[in-house]
Amino acid sequence: MCGIVGYIGNNAVADKLMDGLKNLEYRGYDSAGIALNDNQKIEVFKAQGKLANLKAVLLQNNISQNPSHIGIGHIRWATHGAPTVENAHPHISNDGNLVLVHNGIIENYKELREKLEQQGVHFYSQTDTEVAVHLFAEEYKKFGSLEAAVRSGLACLKGAFAFCIMHHNEQDKMIAVRKNAPLIIGCNQNENYIASDITALLGKVKKVIYLDDNEMAVVKKDSVIVKDIFGNIVLKKSEEINMKADLIDKQGYEHFMLKEIAEQPIIIRKILQKHVQNNKIILNEDKLNIDWKKVKDITFVACGTSLHAAMVAQKVWENWLNIPVRVEAASEFIYQKNLLNENSLVIGISQSGETADTITALKQAQNLNTQILVVTNRLDSTIVRYAQSVIGLDAGVEISVAATKSYLAQLITFYWVGLYVAQEQNLLSQDEIVSLLESFEKIPEQIEEILSHKSQIEEIAKQIKNYPSAIFISRAFNLPTAYEGALKLKEISYINANAYPAGELKHGPIALLDENMPVIALLEQDETYAKLISNCEEAKARHAFLIGIGGEKLSNIFDAFIKTPKTLSCFSPLLMCVPVQLLAYYTAKALNREIDQPRNLAKSVTVE
Ligand code: G6P
């Protein structure tokens, strides 16, 4: 989604801003802009579309010659108002002196806009953000100080925001403010940055200060002072960045998505080494501060791919832990009656840790006094604040918008946590655990085997690309994999893909089947197998292009078949997800899509 970068220091600011924005591109955006402050007047440059367009605007204006050393930049993912130049950030006040960039949504923007218009303020965009710039500018007229103007203006704003603000009369500082949207300060000698995501600062600074909600930082070239919204100084510690800059390098792969798919065996091996030792599951450095004896029911809340990981966890945990497990899309959870209490455990899953729906769901769970566990790939993210216990995914930064390695890391995490609880609460015998671990530990090499056949999957993808739609079917443990396969295919190839429990095919979706509809069946050789094959027969009888993914090809009805190594049914989602990721990837590639940054999508959706 939107991204913020601010810079103050001795170096040419435009380059610094463009560099930081480049590292944020992965979040998904549809326009971009920068503002420079220390010349005759504040200059704002914006462009619709990708950063290359903004770069062209900067070139036309000879910005490399610009001696400015303080500036702010933004990439925007449109919410209020189309992705046009007018709606792109930075937004500037009518007198041209105050300029800002914003992430989040100002909920009461309509009332504020009306009020400001009545006072004679002219609006030029359809954004909610523009009210903030005019509001702060009006306050500046009263206070003559940027800090005081922002503090006073903030009292009128409802919603979520991270702002980076500059004033032409105060060229020695930027103001950073956060409420329900992440913002950090990157600190160096004689230069400081503001950014909405640490990736913007990788390779540029070694230390960062994380702002908390309702905090405001006055960021100068050689100082950072953090205050609360009443103006009281808050002492903050800067923290070392422990991510490497090369994490956002494709390292020879054509796309981040392919690189991230290929990294999966390494990630899983690392997680297994950390948590499986001598036929036992151990916590290692992770803490699970959950009172399991109290837990009578479990609810997972998540969105998108994380929701599918929750669906796998539900099936596996109900088997192992013998406890009712519910899975709710976070956006639904927050608008329904949830019969939860102190005996409930709510588990929030979010790769980014910034997904607004999931965060709101956890806030509500807090009010219901449930225990809360968070599973995230970003231990520095907002969601962590709402957790009683947190487990990191150890998947490394995921750049491609379509989640792959974080999904597999989520699955692996739920397997080891489930096994750990079963072991500690004596829900599975030691023999059962040993035999499960035997299969579990083979997963990385089995994924490597699937990856080694990727060219065969590429060939099948070249056929899928010719169809306007596709259907995924499965049963039991792999139904979530079918949902994930359909999601991946639509996200990056824009082919309309849907997934159904195979038994549901005959209750409606079968009407869609003919020679123009590929059906992709995920087959597990367990008690569901015979029924699944019957469902495949039903599809074949309607001339569907039939693709099977699974163990042995025991039937000849398939037009194409992707073989996966043998494992226990409960672990098969770990293997099956890899061919569906590759199918989506190669189909999108065959269609020449923008794989890492698909249209309209954002890596983390920070609005509800
Ligand atoms: C967005 C992304 C999806 C992702 C979902 C949940 O919609 O495009 O790929 O699965 O958010 O993200 P989270 O970071 O909460 O797992």
Side-chain angles (χ1 to χ4, degrees):
M1 280 202 113
C2 304
I4 290 177
V5 183
Y7 175 83
I8 183 163
N10 296 328
N11 293 299
V13 70
D15 292 348
K16 292 278 180 185
L17 297 177
M18 290 300 280
D19 231 43
L21 292 177
K22 184 107 200 94
N23 284 5
L24 293 181
E25 273 197 299
Y26 78 97
R27 298 175 66 88
Y29 69 106
D30 34 43
S31 59
I34 64 168
L36 310 176
N37 192 3
D38 55 353
N39 298 313
Q40 296 301 311
K41 61 180 181 89
I42 289 183
E43 292 171 291
V44 177
F45 305 95
K46 312 200 239 193
Q48 205 179 324
K50 298 294 178 195
L51 281 179
N53 301 350
L54 178 60
K55 209 169 177 182
V57 172
L58 298 181
L59 273 175
Q60 274 162 20
N61 287 279
N62 271 327
I63 288 311
S64 52
Q65 315 292 323
N66 195 310
S68 207
H69 296 109
I70 166 169
I72 56 180
H74 191 260
I75 50 173
R76 172 175 185 256
W77 185 79
T79 56
H80 295 62
T84 58
V85 170
E86 292 73 35
N87 290 333
H89 301 207
H91 287 291
I92 190 156
S93 59
N94 286 171
D95 62 8
N97 284 333
L98 194 143
V99 69
L100 60 77
V101 290
H102 166 225
N103 282 2
I105 287 185
I106 296 165
E107 283 161 9
N108 58 338
Y109 80 102
K110 282 203 181 115
E111 301 120 75
L112 290 173
R113 180 167 178 150
E114 243 169 59
K115 216 163 133 194
L116 286 160
E117 278 175 334
Q118 277 161 15
Q119 289 168 22
V121 172
H122 166 71
F123 279 74
Y124 56 84
S125 79
Q126 287 87 52
T127 61
D128 54 321
T129 302
E130 200 188 335
V131 297
V133 74
H134 299 314
L135 178 69
F136 295 146
E138 289 302 301
E139 296 302 301
Y140 196 93
K141 286 182 195 159
K142 293 184 212 156
F143 292 96
S145 135
L146 184 58
E147 197 187 319
V150 171
R151 187 168 300 118
S152 168
L154 284 176
C156 307
L157 297 179
K158 290 195 184 128
F161 44 77
F163 287 117
C164 185
I165 315 162
M166 306 188 295
H167 198 283
H168 194 240
N169 297 348
E170 302 181 31
Q171 295 175 354
D172 61 335
K173 66 172 80 76
M174 303 179 289
I175 301 255
V177 195
R178 82 156 269 174
K179 184 184 162 203
N180 292 337
L183 205 57
I184 53 176
I185 319 291
C187 314
N188 263 352
Q189 221 175 7
N190 287 323
E191 62 174 10
N192 287 310
Y193 288 85
I194 296 171
S196 53
D197 183 331
I198 204 160
T199 50
L201 305 182
L202 290 184
K204 299 179 180 68
V205 298
K206 291 211 167 58
K207 291 197 162 182
V208 289
I209 295 172
Y210 291 92
L211 287 188
D212 282 308
D213 278 346
N214 297 314
E215 285 180 350
M216 172 197 272
V218 179
V219 181
K220 297 188 174 176
K221 193 173 86 172
D222 41 22
S223 71
V224 177
I225 296 175
V226 181
K227 297 185 179 176
D228 64 17
I229 38 165
F230 306 108
N232 304 310
I233 292 197
V234 182
L235 292 175
K236 306 280 287 189
K237 273 202 189 132
S238 60
E239 297 174 31
E240 298 271 341
I241 299 184
N242 53 13
M243 276 183 209
K244 292 202 189 102
D246 64 1
L247 285 175
I248 36 181
D249 187 279
K250 285 194 203 125
Q251 291 169 357
Y253 285 91
E254 196 174 343
H255 297 98
F256 280 109
M257 184 175 176
L258 191 60
K259 171 183 171 247
E260 287 159 4
I261 291 173
E263 280 169 0
Q264 296 181 120
I266 306 165
I267 293 165
I268 299 172
R269 225 170 243 130
K270 207 170 84 191
I271 300 176
L272 287 176
Q273 274 161 9
K274 190 168 162 199
H275 294 292
V276 182
Q277 275 173 27
N278 304 325
N279 284 329
K280 278 197 79 133
I281 300 282
I282 55 161
L283 284 179
N284 215 322
E285 299 135 23
D286 282 312
K287 292 194 178 61
L288 210 50
N289 300 326
I290 301 295
D291 183 354
W292 288 96
K293 289 270 177 266
K294 257 178 85 178
V295 178
K296 301 275 181 292
D297 55 82
I298 298 173
T299 302
F300 281 95
V301 288
C303 303
T305 292
S306 297
L307 186 65
H308 298 149
M311 291 175 182
V312 175
Q314 177 191 35
K315 290 178 188 286
V316 175
W317 283 21
E318 283 195 333
N319 271 290
W320 289 350
L321 307 185
N322 229 353
I323 199 169
V325 180
R326 208 163 63 108
V327 176
E328 296 288 339
S331 54
E332 287 299 308
F333 179 95
I334 59 186
Y335 290 110
Q336 68 194 18
K337 185 168 181 184
N338 293 298
L339 301 172
L340 304 177
N341 54 42
E342 65 282 2
N343 296 322
S344 310
L345 170 64
V346 172
I347 305 184
I349 318 174
S350 176
Q351 183 283 127
S352 63
E354 299 297 345
T355 301
D357 286 320
T358 312
I359 292 173
T360 305
L362 292 193
K363 284 185 196 165
Q364 292 186 2
Q366 262 185 346
N367 293 335
L368 295 168
N369 292 324
T370 72
Q371 298 194 68
I372 298 181
L373 170 67
V374 158
V375 177
T376 179
N377 201 26
R378 297 294 294 268
L379 293 173
D380 58 341
S381 64
T382 307
I383 202 167
V384 167
R385 291 160 214 271
Y386 301 98
Q388 155 188 346
S389 192
V390 181
I391 296 187
L393 287 177
D394 284 334
V397 178
E398 188 173 66
I399 301 291
S400 171
V401 166
T404 54
K405 63 175 181 173
S406 66
Y407 176 69
L408 211 67
Q410 285 167 343
L411 296 190
I412 287 286
T413 301
F414 292 124
Y415 284 101
W416 80 252
V417 173
L419 281 173
Y420 175 78
V421 177
Q423 167 189 280
E424 297 302 299
Q425 306 297 316
N426 296 317
L427 299 166
L428 293 174
S429 70
Q430 184 56 25
D431 285 353
E432 283 170 310
I433 291 186
V434 170
S435 107
L436 285 165
L437 288 180
E438 199 186 317
S439 293
F440 196 27
E441 290 190 276
K442 287 192 186 131
I443 297 292
E445 71 199 64
Q446 292 180 319
I447 292 181
E448 273 158 358
E449 191 183 327
I450 298 170
L451 290 172
S452 71
H453 298 129
K454 58 180 192 289
S455 52
Q456 184 219 349
I457 300 177
E458 183 167 12
E459 287 314 304
I460 300 172
K462 283 180 187 157
Q463 299 189 63
I464 295 183
K465 85 158 212 295
N466 300 320
Y467 296 91
S469 323
I471 286 179
F472 286 74
I473 54 169
S474 194
R475 287 175 182 251
F477 288 109
N478 278 301
L479 180 57
T481 321
Y483 289 131
E484 179 57 9
L487 179 69
K488 283 284 91 77
L489 191 61
K490 357 186 208 236
E491 279 182 315
I492 58 168
S493 76
Y494 316 146
I495 287 176
N496 175 25
N498 293 300
Y500 303 100
E504 278 295 300
L505 197 62
K506 56 188 175 297
H507 297 296
I510 201 162
L512 299 169
L513 300 192
D514 61 14
E515 65 282 5
N516 293 318
M517 181 66 81
V519 172
I520 301 154
L522 309 180
L523 304 146
E524 191 42 42
Q525 273 163 38
D526 56 11
E527 70 273 16
T528 67
Y529 185 75
K531 289 264 166 51
L532 244 166
I533 290 291
S534 302
N535 303 132
C536 291
E537 296 274 8
E538 289 156 14
K540 195 69 224 158
R542 272 102 195 154
H543 311 292
F545 174 56
L546 191 59
I547 301 160
I549 304 181
E552 291 307 310
K553 184 181 171 187
L554 297 177
S555 164
N556 282 330
I557 53 173
F558 296 101
D559 299 297
F561 198 88
I562 303 166
K563 211 164 153 287
T564 54
K566 185 98 199 90
T567 184
L568 296 175
S569 300
C570 63
F571 293 126
S572 69
L574 294 166
L575 300 183
M576 292 276 199
C577 71
V578 180
V580 300
Q581 292 169 345
L582 289 168
L583 262 187
Y585 172 79
Y586 284 117
T587 308
K589 190 175 166 213
L591 288 166
N592 217 3
R593 304 292 193 221
E594 244 190 286
I595 295 182
D596 287 330
Q597 290 169 39
R599 70 181 180 206
N600 303 338
L601 294 184
K603 185 74 187 151
S604 62
V605 180
T606 50
V607 293
E608 276 173 31

